[in-house]
Amino acid sequence: MEQSKLISCVIAKLKIAYPYYFNKLSKEDFVGMVTMYQEYLGNLNPNALMMTFKKIIKKEEYMPSIPTILNTYRKEACSYFIELINNTDADVEDKKYLESMAEWYSLQEDYPSDFLKRINELEQIKLKSNKKEALPYDN
């Protein structure tokens, strides 16, 4: 997902979940918020980020701060990455290694780019394999 579309989707979800916060926000503050979200959230895995916001919206009564979002993302990304690694149709020789990397880097500030590149490859493989499956109404 394109970065600007990802941030727009995130902000749309937040506007619906926390309307009181956005009612009091000036245009300048809103632009600043969008800029900060692009800076801090724009390079994160889109699927893991959407899972993060689902969890935050379920649990948080008030608009979350960026540190709250990032801390929740680390946990959700780790779960998402491990599930992806284990459920991929790809012939992954290094599943255990990738799982340990997902767990290790969930404790760090960022995931390394080579790990994220491998996760992106697994997402693409999973996407292709899902397209090949026949839908129930195709029979």
Side-chain angles (χ1 to χ4, degrees), residues 34-84:
V34 170
T35 302
M36 285 188 71
Y37 274 43
Q38 287 174 333
E39 180 181 343
Y40 288 100
L41 309 177
N43 294 326
L44 301 179
N45 179 283
N47 295 319
L49 190 61
M50 288 299 119
M51 290 174 56
T52 298
F53 278 98
K54 282 183 182 179
K55 186 159 198 161
I56 286 173
I57 290 169
K58 283 182 184 177
K59 289 191 171 208
E60 298 291 329
E61 186 175 347
Y62 300 104
M63 178 73 172
S65 65
I66 290 178
T68 298
I69 295 167
L70 293 174
N71 288 333
T72 305
Y73 172 80
R74 282 187 201 97
K75 294 173 193 166
E76 291 302 309
C78 181
S79 297
Y80 171 72
F81 294 155
I82 289 173
E83 183 179 335
L84 178 67

Side-chain angles (χ1 to χ4, degrees), residues 96-130:
K96 291 288 183 202
Y97 173 73
L98 288 172
E99 281 182 43
S100 66
M101 294 294 287
E103 290 171 353
W104 167 253
Y105 282 106
S106 71
L107 304 173
Q108 308 303 312
E109 193 164 316
D110 293 316
Y111 284 91
S113 59
D114 57 333
F115 175 80
L116 293 175
K117 182 180 176 187
R118 185 70 175 119
I119 290 296
N120 189 34
E121 291 169 1
L122 293 177
E123 286 177 324
Q124 295 305 313
I125 290 168
K126 186 166 180 147
L127 229 143
K128 287 177 186 175
S129 70
N130 286 345

